[in-house]
Each structure stands twice: as structure tokens, then as C-alpha cells.
């Protein structure tokens, strides 16, 4: 991958992680309310709007990344986002990383290395 592709990929991963974690935080902030009040709280949450902004930026970075790499490679390397989201879930929301999930993270990381940097 070129240095530009790596930069767009990293920016995409950061934006995706911020977006996913922000949506989780927004949903938790509105979790206590029910019905229409739940939705009102959700739409007033700054985390929701941070998540939406992050996903808009992610879309731009993703399109830029895909313009520089083959689609098959881009889709596989893009799956590395799951690693950051899972680690962020653990750090910010105390979600569990089980042995099976840890094994899956390892397989994803190995696959990303093989596909992303082993591509001729």
C-alpha cells in the first residue's frame, strides 16, 4: 500500500471507532427513558452528533482509500476496524473480551497484515 492509502485507512479506522463508540455512548445516555422521551434524549445527545460527524468523515476517507487500492484488499483491510471498536468497548464501556474474541482479533490482525502488506 502507498503511504497515502495507509493514511486514509488509518483516518477511516479512527473515524469508524469514534463513530461506533459515540453511538454506544449516546444510546446509553438515553437508555433510562422510554418511548418518545428515549428518542428525544437520544437526539439531544452530543455523542449522537459526534458519531454522525465521524461517520460522514469516515465515508470520505473510505472512498479515498478505495480509490487507491483494489476492492478485495480494501474490504479485507477495512475489517481491522473491528479490533479498535472491540478494544474501545472494553476501555470505555467495560465490555468483556473473551478468549474467543481475543482469538478472533488475532486472526483479523494476521489477515490484515497478510492481505494489506503482502499485496504485490
Amino acid at each position: 500500500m502507498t503511504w497515502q492509502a495507509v493514511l486514509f485507512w488509518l483516518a477511516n479506522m479512527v473515524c469508524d471507532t469514534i463513530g461506533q463508540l459515540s453511538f454506544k455512548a449516546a444510546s446509553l445516555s438515553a437508555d433510562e427513558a422510554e418511548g418518545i422521551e428515549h428518542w428525544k434524549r437520544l437526539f439531544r445527545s452530543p455523542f449522537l452528533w459526534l458519531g454522525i460527524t465521524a461517520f460522514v468523515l469516515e465515508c470520505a476517507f473510505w472512498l479515498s482509500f478505495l480509490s487507491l487500492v483494489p476492492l478485495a484488499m480494501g474490504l479485507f483491510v477495512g475489517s481491522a476496524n473491528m479490533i479498535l471498536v472491540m478494544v474501545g468497548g472494553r476501555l470505555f464501556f467495560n465490555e468483556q473480551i473473551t478468549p474467543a474474541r481475543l482469538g478472533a482479533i488475532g486472526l483479523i490482525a494476521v489477515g490484515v497484515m497478510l492481505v494489506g502488506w503482502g499485496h504485490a
Side-chain angles (χ1 to χ4, degrees), residues 2 8 14 18 20 23 28 49-50 55 58 66 72 104-105 108:
T2 67
F8 285 134
V14 168
I18 290 170
Q20 296 289 351
F23 281 175
L28 291 176
W49 301 105
L50 175 62
F55 280 147
E58 178 197 5
L66 286 180
I105 287 174
I108 291 168

Side-chain angles (χ1 to χ4, degrees), residues 28-71:
L28 291 176
S29 70
D31 200 28
E32 298 164 2
E34 293 183 17
I36 193 72
E37 186 58 34
H38 170 82
W39 292 102
K40 287 180 181 178
R41 284 189 191 183
L42 187 64
F43 281 102
R44 285 192 305 259
S45 172
F47 290 115
L48 176 70
W49 301 105
L50 175 62
I52 290 170
T53 302
F55 280 147
V56 168
L57 291 172
E58 178 197 5
C59 183
F61 290 131
W62 182 245
L63 290 172
S64 299
F65 174 67
L66 286 180
S67 72
L68 299 172
V69 299
L71 180 60

